[in-house]
Amino acid sequence: MMRVPPDNEPGIGAYVWVDTKWNKKLVIAVRGTTTVYDECADLYLWPGFSNDEEFIKFCSNFTDDQLDYSQQLLALYLEVKTYFHDFDVLITGHSLGSGLAQFISVTQSKGEEVVPSVVFSGPGLQEILENTYPSMLPLDETLEKNMVNFVDPYDPIYVNSKEYQVGVICVWNTQEPKSCSQYYSDPSNSELYHECFLESHYFTHLLELISNKQPFDCDIQIKQWFYSLPDKRNETYSSLIVVLVGGTGAFIVVIFGLYWTSR
């Protein structure tokens, strides 16, 4: 099952991988920011995303229903649970998709019935919860242990949202790119920000970290799980998912979906 946004307008991109044969588990992978319309969704969910007046004016052309990707993902999640009501669900995503995935974990977990999320390069959910779901704070300890966010310590998205992070934070052991060092010395330089973003946040960087099993600092059980992942990814699934979902964050359903369903 997939959910691909329509051409020339906002819409969430997500893919659902279902194991109907063996373990009754499924993975929902949510795409990160890929289009200018996704950037409008970023602005809608995280109002401080941009101060560009022209961009803000452009985004004002769209309705709340079009830009509220959290509700679009919730609708997809509820649809999936209608068909697979007795399946265990894992939510994953990259960047924008990670924030959305964590939103589902928080809003759909009920007591001991937790909807776990394993996400990458997340922008932090605390601010959204404070503004829209304050009654859910503070988060339940069991829930927080089942919300895992892998981040690069030099990623400007992570650095600028540390105070808003929730769940377990796993920090990759990486070397600071020169562009990031220069950017943090001159944070008003948009060109340096873009270079740092590409080197520390972008999808290809994340793929390299996971493929190489880059060391990270995190909960010991999560480390043991990660380092026991298969050495080779299923390239057929990888190619299919990248085509269907459009790339960013989509391969995560292969890395964590195929493995998680066999646990």
Side-chain angles (χ1 to χ4, degrees):
M1 180 185 294
M2 63 178 174
R3 185 64 49 85
V4 180
D7 294 335
N8 301 320
E9 61 181 86
I12 193 172
Y15 181 87
V16 182
W17 190 88
V18 185
D19 179 0
T20 58
K21 187 175 182 180
W22 300 107
N23 294 312
K24 285 194 171 184
K25 295 184 178 182
L26 64 86
V27 179
I28 301 176
V30 191
R31 188 180 73 178
T33 303
T34 305
T35 69
V36 66
Y37 309 110
D38 294 342
E39 292 180 9
C40 288
D42 284 320
L43 179 64
Y44 181 87
L45 295 167
W46 291 275
F49 174 76
S50 174
N51 295 318
D52 187 316
E53 292 183 3
E54 289 189 11
F55 175 66
I56 294 173
K57 183 177 180 181
F58 168 77
C59 294
S60 68
N61 292 314
F62 305 106
T63 66
D64 288 354
D65 288 342
Q66 288 177 299
L67 296 180
D68 193 347
Y69 283 16
S70 64
Q71 293 304 309
Q72 293 180 30
L73 180 59
L74 176 58
L76 174 63
Y77 171 82
L78 295 176
E79 179 182 348
V80 167
K81 287 296 289 182
T82 298
Y83 288 103
F84 305 102
H85 57 87
D86 57 344
F87 278 53
D88 293 328
V89 180
L90 173 71
I91 313 287
T92 187
H94 171 254
S95 193
L96 165 63
S98 71
L100 297 172
Q102 289 188 324
F103 170 80
I104 295 299
S105 285
V106 171
T107 60
Q108 299 307 302
S109 295
K110 312 295 182 185
E112 296 183 357
E113 296 182 11
V114 173
V115 180
S117 57
V118 178
V119 303
F120 302 84
S121 309
L125 195 67
Q126 183 81 13
E127 184 178 19
I128 292 178
L129 295 177
E130 290 175 352
N131 293 335
T132 57
Y133 295 93
S135 62
M136 293 185 173
L137 296 172
L139 297 180
D140 179 78
E141 182 178 350
T142 300
L143 171 59
E144 288 221 73
K145 288 181 179 179
N146 283 276
M147 297 172 63
V148 182
N149 184 10
F150 285 83
V151 300
D152 185 305
Y154 305 108
D155 176 1
I157 299 298
Y158 167 66
V159 171
N160 294 328
S161 65
K162 282 185 178 180
E163 62 184 299
Y164 300 119
Q165 295 291 335
V166 297
V168 177
I169 307 299
C170 298
V171 182
W172 302 109
N173 296 330
T174 61
Q175 292 186 336
E176 183 177 22
K178 182 178 179 180
S179 61
C180 293
S181 176
Q182 293 175 330
Y183 163 67
Y184 292 121
S185 297
D186 183 14
S188 63
N189 190 317
S190 59
E191 290 186 7
L192 289 176
Y193 171 86
H194 182 67
E195 291 179 21
C196 177
F197 179 88
L198 290 178
E199 293 190 76
S200 61
H201 181 87
Y202 204 58
F203 170 74
T204 51
H205 173 63
L206 173 60
L207 177 58
E208 182 179 355
L209 292 175
I210 293 181
S211 298
N212 294 337
K213 294 187 178 180
Q214 184 77 14
F216 57 86
D217 295 321
C218 196
D219 181 274
I220 186 62
Q221 291 183 322
I222 296 174
K223 278 190 172 184
Q224 292 172 345
W225 169 45
F226 181 82
Y227 290 123
S228 67
L229 287 171
D231 289 330
K232 295 183 179 180
R233 300 185 306 280
N234 185 314
E235 296 299 335
T236 301
Y237 271 110
S238 180
S239 299
L240 175 65
I241 292 170
V242 167
V243 170
L244 292 179
V245 186
T248 307
F251 84 99
I252 298 168
V253 75
V254 180
I255 299 293
F256 286 89
L258 296 180
Y259 178 72
W260 182 68
T261 52
S262 68
R263 293 181 72 196

